[in-house]
Amino acid sequence: MKTLLLSMVSPAYYPLAAVTTPSHEAYAKAQGYDCRCLPIKDSPDPYGGAEGEIARLRGVLAAFDEGYEQVVMHDMDVIFTNHTIRAEDIMAGALVVVAREHLRWWPINLGVVIWRKGESASRLLHRLIEDEKIWVKYKWTVQTHFWNLMQTDAETRAAVVLVPARVMNSTGQTGAPLSRWQLGDFVLHMLDMPLAERIETARAIIGLTGPQFDGTLLK
């Protein structure tokens, strides 16, 4: 399946990208995927605010138009720590896959979302873009609106599969045992950390697993 890994980065996060991008590229190479990073304008928000959120949603649609059948949309503070896991195995025929979040009260996290080309997935992407005036008011912007649509919109409910956090949203947070990263997990999402700590954590984990970790440490 023709697959694209899609991320974005603002100038403030270039130091993090310098550490995490080799992980993205190595995983893409291991699976025969393509890898792309969208530059966005500098912003206090690492995701570029509403403009950045829309840019990556449009980036998924553009990838579909280019012939990609599957897009792994991920944040720059994500590293791929098990390169034997294929995105299509996580999808298992679904159109959109998102992960649980077990930090505090929030139910989902869009740090990694896998999209498969299809009419329902494209309609959801267009709706999220068109509904900017709604979600821009929320603290967690698109993520909040995405969850609301999962509760209220029948087509979104039918298209989206919700997986446990450790399937593709493992974190380094000690207070969240259900999502605590362990060796062998697909990704580490370094959320809720100062930039310097994210960089330090990424270096430490890549040093442990190697940029081209192939699972041999588990055998």
Side-chain angles (χ1 to χ4, degrees):
M1 184 176 290
K2 189 176 181 182
T3 299
L4 176 68
L5 266 61
L6 180 67
S7 60
M8 60 184 185
V9 64
S10 66
Y13 274 65
Y14 286 169
L16 178 63
V19 178
T20 60
T21 297
S23 162
H24 310 157
E25 294 173 341
Y27 173 64
K29 182 178 180 181
Q31 293 297 338
Y33 301 158
D34 292 331
C35 186
R36 181 181 302 167
C37 181
L38 301 174
I40 55 175
K41 70 177 185 180
D42 209 359
S43 168
D45 180 344
Y47 310 108
E51 183 177 320
E53 295 286 7
I54 289 174
R56 68 175 181 170
L57 295 170
R58 286 180 174 157
V60 177
L61 287 168
F64 288 160
D65 289 341
E66 292 171 35
Y68 288 99
E69 302 164 271
Q70 182 175 256
V71 179
V72 181
M73 186 179 81
H74 63 89
D75 291 347
M76 187 51 65
D77 60 358
V78 166
I79 54 175
F80 293 89
T81 53
N82 189 335
H83 295 183
T84 68
I85 296 174
R86 301 188 306 165
E88 44 267 56
D89 292 338
I90 295 174
M91 292 296 282
L95 279 175
V96 187
V97 175
V98 301
R100 283 278 185 192
E101 181 169 299
H102 295 292
L103 300 173
R104 298 177 297 277
W105 55 272
W106 191 244
I108 63 171
N109 191 285
L110 303 187
V112 179
V113 183
I114 308 178
W115 301 84
R116 183 163 61 87
K117 188 174 184 178
E119 291 184 3
S120 292
S122 292
R123 278 195 292 269
L124 176 55
L125 286 160
H126 280 292
R127 179 161 185 182
L128 290 170
I129 292 168
E130 292 162 3
D131 285 353
E132 177 191 357
K133 60 184 179 298
I134 298 174
W135 54 255
V136 76
K137 303 173 185 176
Y138 300 143
K139 180 178 180 181
W140 300 115
T141 62
V142 172
Q143 192 163 264
T144 302
H145 193 49
F146 197 111
W147 175 252
N148 289 344
L149 290 176
M150 287 173 64
Q151 311 312 304
T152 61
D153 181 69
E155 185 175 26
T156 300
R157 276 200 307 274
V160 177
V161 170
L162 187 61
V163 296
R166 285 192 53 220
V167 172
M168 60 178 203
N169 189 47
S170 299
T171 73
Q173 304 299 316
T174 57
L178 292 177
S179 63
R180 177 74 169 169
W181 181 85
Q182 296 180 35
L183 187 63
D185 284 356
F186 180 42
V187 304
L188 171 63
H189 185 194
M190 295 164 289
L191 49 77
D192 286 357
M193 295 179 180
L195 178 59
E197 187 176 346
R198 294 181 200 205
I199 293 170
E200 180 182 354
T201 300
R203 284 177 173 154
I205 297 300
I206 290 172
L208 172 65
T209 64
Q212 301 186 46
F213 175 55
D214 62 3
T216 54
L217 291 176
L218 305 179
K219 297 175 183 177

